[in-house]
Amino acid sequence: MIFQLTFYPILFFLLCATLFFFFFLFTLQEKWGRIGVSFLSLSLVASFLYLIVKAINLGYLPITNKHESLVFFEFLLIFIFFIFYYKFRLLMVGVFLSPLALLLVVVSAFMNKETSTVIPVLHSFWLPLHVMAAFIGNALFALSFVISFIYLIENFRLKKKKFDEFGKYLPSITILDNINYFCIVYGFPFMTLGIITGAIWAQYAIGSYWNNDPKEVWSLITWILYAALLHLRLITGWKGKKVAMFSILAFIILIFSFVGVTYLFKGYHSFRL
């Protein structure tokens, strides 16, 4: 019961944030966007409290099922958004980010929230490192996805020479491209660290660094995509629209490797007894 009492406020605050951001989108009155930001900050606090309450009650980091993982993912995504929000003009980014955060929590609500016995191997030093690194990388890539989507909108508007009230609330394509670059260049090392610590933990847990598990294979595919994206950005000078489109594609594959693979393929990434 206590978990439900601390979970539903997250849904409520995110729903309110999304509604007020939509008011802002359709009216272009900044006050609605600011209220949306306030509710987004409340959802961040609510998510943090939910994870803390679960961690205290369970005695381990609450990321051992899809429900917990999605809430953790949503928490990191909003946290990283606020890092940029106070430096750049990102009200319009909230319009697109809040529905994504809401979707993550809504999907998590339909997944198993019950507490059950967890196998002892989860009480490993390497598991929290693996999960934290992987999800920080995923959250940065999720923000890259949102930023890339907005970049394509802004790029299209500039080509059509649309200079109106809506455009005033869009960050410049230079700022969007720079934020996208930041997300990729820092998200990739975290993803890499997540894969390395996951391999070490797998050796500790089941005696092998690599087991051809579907999630391992698709995580490697995702890593290769982001490695290629980073290479194209740093070595060949890719910028702008190409990077934005590649970022969107890579994130779609990332989401598939995170959620889709679990339901389409059998693997050992399930730890409850």
Side-chain angles (χ1 to χ4, degrees), residues 7-268:
F7 174 75
Y8 289 118
I10 306 173
L11 275 172
F12 174 75
F13 292 140
L14 281 175
L15 179 60
C16 290
T18 301
L19 290 175
F20 279 107
F21 273 125
F22 281 175
F23 290 157
F24 165 61
L25 177 63
F26 292 117
T27 65
L28 295 180
Q29 295 183 24
E30 194 168 330
K31 64 179 181 180
W32 300 123
R34 290 176 179 173
I35 295 174
V37 169
S38 298
F39 275 109
L40 204 58
S41 63
L42 288 173
S43 72
L44 181 68
V45 174
S47 301
F48 178 74
L49 292 176
Y50 177 71
L51 293 169
I52 290 297
V53 168
K54 266 214 158 189
I56 292 174
N57 279 271
L58 301 178
Y60 55 82
L61 191 64
I63 38 71
T64 59
N65 61 25
K66 280 291 178 290
H67 166 76
E68 297 165 353
S69 298
L70 287 172
V71 175
F72 188 51
F73 192 177
E74 168 265 337
F75 166 76
L76 289 174
L77 175 60
I78 297 176
F79 179 81
I80 293 172
F81 163 77
F82 274 110
I83 292 176
F84 291 101
Y85 174 77
Y86 291 108
K87 187 174 182 180
F88 303 105
R89 192 177 183 181
L90 297 182
L91 268 183
M92 195 59 73
V93 175
V95 172
F96 296 90
L97 181 136
S98 58
L100 176 59
L102 177 61
L103 177 63
L104 291 173
V105 176
V106 168
V107 172
S108 76
F110 290 96
M111 295 181 175
N112 180 32
K113 297 188 287 292
E114 297 300 321
T115 304
S116 55
T117 304
V118 179
I119 60 176
V121 76
L122 285 182
H123 299 280
S124 164
F125 167 79
W126 292 105
L127 181 63
L129 291 179
H130 164 60
V131 173
M132 285 291 294
F135 274 98
I136 291 173
N138 289 349
L140 283 164
F141 291 143
L143 182 58
S144 170
F145 168 79
V146 173
I147 292 295
S148 295
F149 187 76
I150 297 173
Y151 181 96
L152 294 179
I153 294 175
E154 177 74 343
N155 185 64
F156 174 80
R157 288 174 55 82
L158 288 175
K159 285 186 176 180
K160 295 295 182 179
K161 296 183 179 180
K162 292 186 177 181
F163 304 103
D164 52 20
E165 189 72 15
F166 178 80
K168 287 173 55 178
Y169 292 102
L170 289 173
S172 70
I173 58 173
T174 300
I175 289 177
L176 291 170
D177 192 53
N178 288 339
I179 295 176
N180 197 12
Y181 172 70
F182 179 95
C183 291
I184 295 168
V185 80
Y186 285 97
F188 183 74
F190 277 109
M191 171 183 273
T192 304
L193 180 61
I195 290 175
I196 292 172
T197 52
I200 296 173
W201 176 70
Q203 171 65 25
Y204 165 78
I206 58 179
S208 176
Y209 291 105
W210 181 265
N211 303 277
N212 287 321
D213 180 79
K215 191 169 283 290
E216 290 177 344
V217 173
W218 279 94
S219 294
L220 180 60
I221 292 172
T222 306
W223 183 89
I224 291 172
L225 283 174
Y226 278 105
L229 178 57
L230 190 59
H231 171 80
L232 291 168
R233 173 85 195 214
L234 295 177
I235 306 302
T236 66
W238 264 28
K239 285 187 177 182
K241 184 178 179 180
K242 291 181 180 179
V243 173
M245 294 178 69
F246 202 136
S247 298
I248 291 172
L249 172 63
F251 184 72
I252 292 172
I253 300 299
L254 186 152
I255 289 297
F256 175 76
S257 69
F258 176 62
V259 178
V261 169
T262 302
Y263 295 100
L264 295 177
F265 306 100
K266 292 183 179 180
Y268 69 83

